[in-house]
Amino acid sequence: MSRRYILRFDIWICLAVAFLVSLGTEALMKNMLTQKYEDHKTEHIVGVGEIGGVATEEVFRAESVKDLEDHETFTVVSPGIEYRNRGGGYYSGMYLHALTLPSGEIVAARINTPNVKKADGSDSPYGGESILPVGRVVEANLEDSETFLSQIEFSEPLSRHDFYVDMLGDGAIQSEEDFIEAPTLFAQLLTIIIVFAILHFVGSKIGIFPAFYTRKKSEAEKKSDWD
């Protein structure tokens, strides 16, 4: 037969009040962080022609690894959404796609997806040619992370392990969940803990609630009570 544990009335009361107070914290945090998130997105808008920005006609169209290495900046023209069909993996906290170049070579690439544009000017991501954002080569030893290589090379191996292509630059925008939801939940839980502790401490001090812990009396104090 299993045991049933029932919380004392004072714990329920303190938890209920603490939760109600935390709803105010939640509303305050969401209101404050939503505005900050809009500022965060604005600060990370990348200009046309910059790394991670929209590639204009003047940007060199790279077709091979040699083209990548021979040009300071470039773009790559990819069919449809092929640039994200081969999957990828996380390297040093960055998500890198397995990007297939027109030559057939495959490299790791960090891509600012919102700045991928269709060659025909359409909004559909499927079909036609996709012009990827402006990129540059970043030297890195991808073999430092076996986990990353096992992820990104799941279907086919990369042609090079000594660099990745940065097509994101300063355009890295933190997800709304990470920026707003995670800090808000933490603040809400912290509020519950703090308010619960204060309420119960005050309630036990004035005799409304029983104390969590009672000090064990010494033998001398016990003897004094008997006397």
Side-chain angles (χ1 to χ4, degrees), residues 66-94:
K66 187 176 187 307
D67 285 344
L68 302 182
E69 295 180 315
D70 289 347
H71 293 80
E72 187 174 343
T73 60
F74 48 78
T75 186
V76 173
V77 178
S78 176
I81 57 170
E82 198 281 336
Y83 63 92
R84 63 185 186 192
N85 275 349
R86 293 184 180 274
Y90 283 93
Y91 176 78
S92 296
M94 303 177 293

Side-chain angles (χ1 to χ4, degrees), residues 114-132:
N115 281 343
V116 175
K117 298 301 177 184
K118 302 299 292 185
D120 60 6
S122 69
D123 294 327
S124 173
Y126 307 102
E129 294 183 327
S130 297
I131 303 173
L132 303 190

Side-chain angles (χ1 to χ4, degrees), residues 4-16 196 200 210 212:
R4 294 179 61 190
Y5 294 91
I6 302 175
L7 291 178
R8 292 183 340 212
F9 79 96
D10 54 308
I11 295 178
W12 278 117
I13 292 173
C14 291
L15 280 176
F196 175 86
H200 202 280
F212 272 128

Side-chain angles (χ1 to χ4, degrees), residues 34-171:
T34 297
Q35 181 56 51
K36 285 186 175 293
Y37 186 64
E38 293 304 314
D39 295 339
H40 169 72
K41 290 193 294 184
T42 302
E43 290 169 1
H44 287 78
I45 293 176
V46 183
V48 174
E50 297 178 4
I51 302 300
V54 174
T56 60
E57 291 295 329
E58 294 73 30
V59 180
F60 179 76
R61 268 59 173 162
E63 297 191 355
S64 65
V65 168
K66 187 176 187 307
D67 285 344
L68 302 182
E69 295 180 315
D70 289 347
H71 293 80
E72 187 174 343
T73 60
F74 48 78
T75 186
V76 173
V77 178
S78 176
I81 57 170
E82 198 281 336
Y83 63 92
R84 63 185 186 192
N85 275 349
R86 293 184 180 274
Y90 283 93
Y91 176 78
S92 296
M94 303 177 293
Y95 187 79
L96 303 181
H97 293 271
L99 171 63
T100 303
L101 303 175
S103 64
E105 296 166 294
I106 303 174
V107 295
R110 192 180 182 209
I111 302 172
N112 190 9
T113 306
N115 281 343
V116 175
K117 298 301 177 184
K118 302 299 292 185
D120 60 6
S122 69
D123 294 327
S124 173
Y126 307 102
E129 294 183 327
S130 297
I131 303 173
L132 303 190
V134 179
R136 67 187 178 96
V137 168
V138 177
E139 293 183 1
N141 183 7
L142 303 183
E143 295 179 357
D144 283 344
S145 175
E146 293 182 7
T147 302
F148 164 69
L149 286 181
S150 67
Q151 292 172 341
I152 199 169
E153 295 187 330
F154 178 73
S155 58
E156 291 185 65
L158 297 175
S159 300
R160 294 283 289 272
H161 288 169
D162 58 340
F163 72 81
Y164 67 86
V165 176
D166 181 14
M167 290 182 165
L168 184 60
D170 294 327

